[in-house]
Amino acid sequence: MDATTVEILLVEDNPNDELLALHAFKKHNLASKVHVVRDGAEALEFVFCTGAYADRPFVNPRVILLDKKLPLVDGMEVLRQIRADPRTRTVPVVMLTSSAEDRDIIESYQLGVNSYIVKPVNFEQFSETARQLGYYWLLINRQPTG
């Protein structure tokens, strides 16, 4: 896939959740627009075109689906760095996590998350959530250009 066509950046370290999400995106014809990274450090490299992604043209994804609990760099720190950089500050970030704790929700919104979704455990609910996320962020939501 051409790096400029990435519309959804999925940051997910759990292989089962990754497979569920990708299956749901495929079912709803969104799979070709998804790039997966498996830890917070790789997410930052992708977003900021450094490390393994140094040759990637700097084009922001349309939306970042970010897990909170990640190896190397946690989701909160990834969010913090995305919001701190003027080039990425307006990229929509959806926290898609298993944590339903108030403190995590509050911290996410304080750091500028656009939406906070607790992962459904049931496949059908997860599939429907993925469909709605893709539909909303890629088709309905309007974003600034340039």
Side-chain angles (χ1 to χ4, degrees), residues 61-118:
R62 295 274 304 275
V63 64
I64 298 171
L65 303 180
L66 180 63
D67 194 358
K68 180 192 173 302
K69 299 170 186 160
L70 295 167
L72 304 180
V73 178
D74 78 351
M76 294 299 190
E77 182 57 27
V78 171
L79 177 60
R80 188 176 285 111
Q81 290 189 37
I82 288 169
R83 289 297 179 249
D85 192 302
R87 299 170 298 169
T88 56
R89 187 172 291 141
T90 61
V91 175
V93 177
V94 175
M95 196 65 76
L96 185 59
T97 183
S98 57
S99 173
E101 295 184 32
D102 280 345
R103 72 172 191 267
D104 292 335
I105 296 169
I106 291 166
E107 183 181 4
S108 295
Y109 278 105
Q110 286 174 337
L111 291 172
V113 80
N114 296 89
S115 184
Y116 192 102
I117 297 173
V118 178

Side-chain angles (χ1 to χ4, degrees), residues 5 7 16 18-19 24 48 50 52 55 93-94 98 105 111 113 121 130 137 140:
T5 63
E7 294 195 351
N16 293 327
E18 175 189 333
L19 286 173
F48 294 111
T50 61
D55 293 336
V93 177
V94 175
S98 57
I105 296 169
L111 291 172
V113 80
V121 288
W137 290 107
I140 295 175

Side-chain angles (χ1 to χ4, degrees), residues 114-128:
N114 296 89
S115 184
Y116 192 102
I117 297 173
V118 178
K119 292 177 190 172
V121 288
N122 156 316
F123 172 74
E124 285 306 317
Q125 289 175 321
F126 194 94
S127 179
E128 178 60 14

